[in-house]
Amino acid sequence: MNAVLQPSACFHCGLPVPSGSNWHVTIDELPRAMCCPGCEAVAQTIVDIGQSAYYRDRDEYAVNALDATLMPPELRLYSNDDAQFARDASSCEATLSVEGIRCAACVWLIERQLTRLPGVQAASLNVATERLYVRWSRAECEPGDILQAVRQVGYTAYPYDAVRHGERLQKASKTLGRQLFVAGLSMMQVMMYVAPAYLAAEDGTLDDSMASLMRWASLLLTLPAICYSAMPFFQGAWASLRARTLGMDVPVALGILAAFFGSVVATFTGRGEVYYDSATMFIFLLLCSRYYELQARRKAASALERLQHALPASASLMAGFPDHRATILVPAGSLAVGDIILVKPGEAIAADSVIIEGTSALDLSLLTGESAAQRRKTGEQVPGGAINASAALILRVLKPARESTLSDLLKLIERAGSGKPQIAQWADKVAAWFVLGLLLFAVAVFAFWSWHDASRAWPVAIAVLVVSCPCALSLATPTALAAATDSLLRRGVLIVQPHVLETLHRATHIVFDKTGTLTLGRPVLQQIEGLGSMTEDACLQVAAALEAGSAHPLAQAILAAAEGLPGQQRRAHAEQLQEVQGQGLEGVINGVRYRLGNAAFVAAIAGPPLGDTAVGMQGMTPLYLGTQGRWLTRFLLSDALRPEAREVVAYFQRCGKQVVLLSGDQEALTQSVATQLGINTACGECLPDEKLDFVQQLQATGAVVAMVGDGINDAAVLSGADVSFAMGSGAALAQAHADTVLLSSQLVSVLDTAKTAARSMRIIRENLGWATLYNLTAIPAAALGYLNPWLSGVGMAASSAVVIANALRLRKA
């Protein structure tokens, strides 16, 4: 039997819909009114997961705030069988967006609540991105249990959606702005009454009736700040107490209530001091600090937000291509392999594709951190998430949108920031005990002053509660880490695990792979040795003409070298091209037949070899060019060092770290690279398990090992190192076993990360030192009566602001 729905009631929970509200959700193709953003969010989630039938089949409204302790039946719609929660046969995982995060205390409270839930194996909430990562046992827990557990401590959680998350952050920012405005207005109005009262009280010109009138006026002007602006602190404190914990909002709420109700009693009795000015100023200053913190968190997560919004929701499908070029707009998620799409200038590419018509410049900055646009032409592949910067392109889809390069990157981001380093865990534990100690200390101070000078007991106790700043202690680490990871991501470094910066800073050994890490991983033309009368440029021109249509790595090296020739020399065209597999190429240029390949292949046309042509220089691959009866030249190619390799190795050596080279290549090649880079310890011909054994032996001696590899053949050793970096992009991202992914595939990113790690640890120590020094100084000063309540409020707000501002310095490269 369907519920009897009232026209003026919320379609979800049945409470009255406020007049003038515009919350609604389209259910069964009809707009349904909602009473609040919370009902709107839950209802939209139910529709999004395809469970609209819940509203058709229900017998009653969903539970509302009048009975908030019951389990909302709509939460039971989430099941472990949903694909979005799949992990493996025994466990599930999810990334949730959490509404109502106010400070680091909220993070601690939610994590504590979830870890008490049977079946929950891991729970970590990122204060900067407001995203909650949870892993749980399929047999013991359901998604609805997790959402309900979060709800029980006063927060709302739902599966992460970038668009909804952004909209919610905007709403939260506007609400906090309104609360800040009301608190500021109340503070200014109260000060207009309090200031004259202070001045008049000093010279005795204020009579009792006028003093009473000003107190009553101040009370009325303080009520909006208490009843509206201070609600975030009261809600946070109540949520903590309901969960039987002591969060950061508890001393704040007690300080506000103590100042307000002490003033109310003095107003009604006409005896004692009033602290309306202190209460309103404290609320205003603390809201300023919280607003500043919210903006800092959004700035710190800005790079992640840009990535989350980068994938387009739709694409222009050319269903009739090539017969006609009409396009239809379709959801990006519906694209299949082989579909033809049109991407106009300024649009994002919806899925990994290959260009079948057109040439354009692509902006890959979101994927690699590289700001310069890159040219792509017909036949070349382009990654999903890239921005078409210049001309229109027609593309053939290679992978569905959900498997695009950017989607793979976003899957890694789901892991990024989902944990905390040891230093952050330490700060959270200290802050939790700090609140308990503070409350006991405030009671002791009140008792002492009641005995020593009863008239000052109340204001001194209020000052002690207000001046303390556990928020600064808890914000010291997460704000700095969020700013640092944002800065690195904008430079093409994705921090996947939380301990990276802390562990890299204390690493004793830096272990590098060779191929693709210290070297480019592809052959480069190193030298041209003339064997005849033809000039080097002319020989290179002929070789490039023969290799023009080849995709072989050696051919690409020849073509890349020929790019440096003057334009007129690159116009040679080869005819009658023939490729002999594994030996070389033969073709005719301007009527002359040439061969390019190994010595035996070229000797068949050029005659007996000149001197020792069996091998080239050590570590080099020789490629010969000859014509009828003549040897022309020998090209020597090898895997070249990355330009920044020397700088990176030298930096770590200057920092006192041991640099090691491990490679699967020949021992001679490995030692050659080590000599060029000044690396003392190098081992060649290492199999993957031998690399892992080497690292484990170092760790057994107490070493902290950082490993840098290409992320393909080094999965085992990357997983085994204390902290690891994977070079790579594209599809390799999804299989990365490293703690950090270098999206730009540039070795210098490791150096950037190391420098950022050093700065981060220094700033975290500064923040923790400042928060500790402030509390050790300010709390005794307040307890001794040197600070009044309003001055204590200034100190607390300033302490949080200093910590946040110092952390945000890390956003600068």
Side-chain angles (χ1 to χ4, degrees), residues 371-397:
S371 58
Q374 299 183 21
R375 301 291 297 180
R376 291 290 190 274
K377 60 181 183 294
T378 300
E380 293 187 325
Q381 295 186 13
V382 294
I387 306 297
N388 184 11
S390 55
L393 294 174
I394 297 178
L395 311 170
R396 179 184 293 111
V397 175

Side-chain angles (χ1 to χ4, degrees), residues 484-667:
T485 53
D486 169 74
S487 174
L488 287 170
L489 184 56
R490 285 186 281 113
R491 287 178 280 159
V493 180
L494 173 60
I495 304 293
V496 180
Q497 296 298 331
H499 65 86
V500 169
L501 297 178
E502 182 181 5
T503 307
L504 179 61
H505 182 62
R506 58 186 181 87
T508 58
H509 290 69
I510 312 295
V511 179
F512 289 97
D513 177 44
K514 184 182 78 68
T515 305
T517 303
L518 291 175
T519 66
L520 294 172
R522 64 177 186 273
V524 175
L525 180 60
Q526 301 284 7
Q527 189 175 345
I528 301 176
E529 294 182 351
L531 302 177
S533 59
M534 187 179 290
T535 65
E536 292 183 0
D537 286 355
C539 290
L540 187 56
Q541 175 195 7
V542 170
L546 293 172
E547 299 280 23
S550 175
H552 193 280
L554 295 179
Q556 295 302 309
I558 294 292
L559 292 171
E563 290 292 326
L565 294 176
Q568 65 272 17
Q569 292 190 15
R570 297 201 307 270
R571 295 176 184 169
H573 177 68
E575 300 174 338
Q576 303 177 29
L577 269 174
Q578 295 180 2
E579 181 176 359
V580 179
Q581 190 68 32
Q583 296 189 53
L585 291 164
E586 178 179 320
V588 176
I589 301 174
N590 297 328
V592 180
R593 185 171 298 276
Y594 296 92
R595 279 194 174 189
L596 177 69
N598 61 37
F601 177 67
V602 176
I605 187 176
L610 301 176
D612 182 12
T613 58
V615 294
M617 297 175 62
Q618 179 65 46
M620 299 278 191
T621 299
L623 198 62
Y624 295 89
L625 177 67
T627 186
Q628 191 66 43
R630 285 190 299 157
W631 291 82
L632 297 178
T633 193
R634 178 171 69 172
F635 301 103
L636 295 173
L637 303 95
S638 70
D639 186 6
L641 287 175
R642 290 180 179 270
E644 67 272 25
R646 289 184 176 85
E647 178 188 3
V648 173
V649 170
Y651 172 80
F652 285 117
Q653 290 174 334
R654 288 197 304 271
C655 292
K657 303 182 188 296
Q658 297 295 318
V659 179
V660 179
L661 173 59
L662 297 181
S663 176
D665 282 349
Q666 298 176 1
E667 182 70 27

Side-chain angles (χ1 to χ4, degrees), residues 734-803:
Q735 288 80 36
H737 292 265
D739 303 321
T740 309
V741 179
L742 306 179
L743 304 177
S744 62
S745 293
Q746 295 181 3
L747 189 62
V748 73
S749 296
V750 180
L751 188 150
D752 287 343
T753 307
K755 291 182 177 179
T756 301
R759 291 184 62 213
S760 299
M761 293 304 106
R762 184 176 68 251
I763 284 180
I764 288 172
R765 287 193 295 269
E766 290 172 359
N767 282 351
L768 291 174
W770 160 254
T772 303
L773 179 63
Y774 165 81
N775 283 298
L776 289 177
T777 305
I779 293 177
L784 294 173
Y786 295 122
L787 298 177
N788 55 32
W790 74 264
L791 191 57
S792 299
V794 172
M796 179 179 181
S799 181
S800 294
V802 167
V803 165

Side-chain angles (χ1 to χ4, degrees), residues 248 422-432 473-474 476-478 768:
M248 308 301 171
Q422 293 180 355
I423 193 169
Q425 295 173 358
W426 174 85
D428 285 350
K429 291 178 181 178
V430 169
L473 193 62
S474 283
T477 299
L768 291 174

Side-chain angles (χ1 to χ4, degrees), residues 130-190:
E130 300 184 2
R131 289 185 302 164
L132 171 65
Y133 170 79
V134 190
R135 188 176 70 251
W136 66 92
S137 168
R138 284 179 177 268
E140 299 179 73
C141 194
E142 288 283 342
D145 300 330
I146 293 168
L147 298 176
Q148 174 64 8
V150 175
R151 187 174 182 273
Q152 285 175 343
V153 289
Y155 303 88
T156 301
Y158 52 84
Y160 182 82
D161 177 81
V163 175
R164 286 176 60 192
H165 184 70
E167 292 174 350
R168 188 188 60 75
L169 282 179
Q170 261 190 332
K171 288 182 180 178
S173 182
K174 289 180 180 178
T175 300
L176 187 57
R178 288 193 294 267
Q179 291 171 329
L180 180 61
F181 174 78
V182 170
L185 190 62
S186 293
M187 179 189 70
M188 289 188 293
Q189 296 298 320
V190 169

Side-chain angles (χ1 to χ4, degrees), residues 15-261:
L15 290 178
V17 176
S19 59
S21 65
N22 58 355
W23 299 297
H24 68 275
V25 175
T26 300
I27 302 173
D28 292 335
E29 299 183 356
L30 292 174
R32 306 292 189 176
M34 301 288 159
C35 66
C36 66
C39 286
E40 182 185 50
V42 174
Q44 187 63 56
T45 300
I46 292 173
V47 173
D48 291 344
I49 65 174
Q51 298 289 344
S52 299
Y54 160 75
Y55 290 106
R56 295 193 295 271
D57 301 336
R58 64 182 177 177
D59 295 325
E60 58 185 6
Y61 284 111
V63 67
N64 55 49
L66 301 178
D67 195 4
T69 60
L70 297 179
M71 177 66 175
E74 64 270 18
L75 295 185
R76 292 297 182 189
L77 296 174
Y78 292 102
S79 166
N80 284 334
D81 296 328
D82 293 344
Q84 61 181 325
F85 301 131
R87 185 172 186 264
D88 53 44
S90 62
S91 63
C92 295
E93 64 181 5
T95 299
L96 308 175
S97 184
V98 182
E99 293 183 1
I101 299 296
R102 289 172 291 275
C103 69
C106 303
V107 176
W108 179 79
L109 178 61
I110 292 171
E111 290 175 349
R112 180 184 173 91
Q113 174 77 355
L114 289 179
T115 52
R116 292 175 172 177
L117 194 66
V120 172
Q121 299 167 347
S124 185
L125 178 58
N126 188 317
V127 69
T129 61
E130 300 184 2
R131 289 185 302 164
L132 171 65
Y133 170 79
V134 190
R135 188 176 70 251
W136 66 92
S137 168
R138 284 179 177 268
E140 299 179 73
C141 194
E142 288 283 342
D145 300 330
I146 293 168
L147 298 176
Q148 174 64 8
V150 175
R151 187 174 182 273
Q152 285 175 343
V153 289
Y155 303 88
T156 301
Y158 52 84
Y160 182 82
D161 177 81
V163 175
R164 286 176 60 192
H165 184 70
E167 292 174 350
R168 188 188 60 75
L169 282 179
Q170 261 190 332
K171 288 182 180 178
S173 182
K174 289 180 180 178
T175 300
L176 187 57
R178 288 193 294 267
Q179 291 171 329
L180 180 61
F181 174 78
V182 170
L185 190 62
S186 293
M187 179 189 70
M188 289 188 293
Q189 296 298 320
V190 169
M191 290 300 295
M192 289 175 62
Y193 285 93
V194 171
Y198 282 149
L199 296 175
E202 291 180 359
D203 55 19
T205 58
L206 183 66
D207 57 44
D208 292 342
S209 60
M210 184 57 68
S212 177
L213 177 62
M214 289 186 172
R215 289 186 175 192
W216 280 102
S218 298
L219 170 59
L220 295 175
L221 291 170
T222 303
L223 284 174
I226 296 294
C227 298
Y228 177 65
S229 298
M231 287 308 295
F233 312 119
F234 298 150
Q235 291 167 349
W238 176 241
S240 297
L241 295 176
R242 282 179 59 191
R244 299 180 181 179
T245 60
L246 294 174
M248 308 301 171
D249 284 328
V250 172
V252 172
L254 287 177
I256 294 172
L257 292 176
F260 178 70
F261 284 111

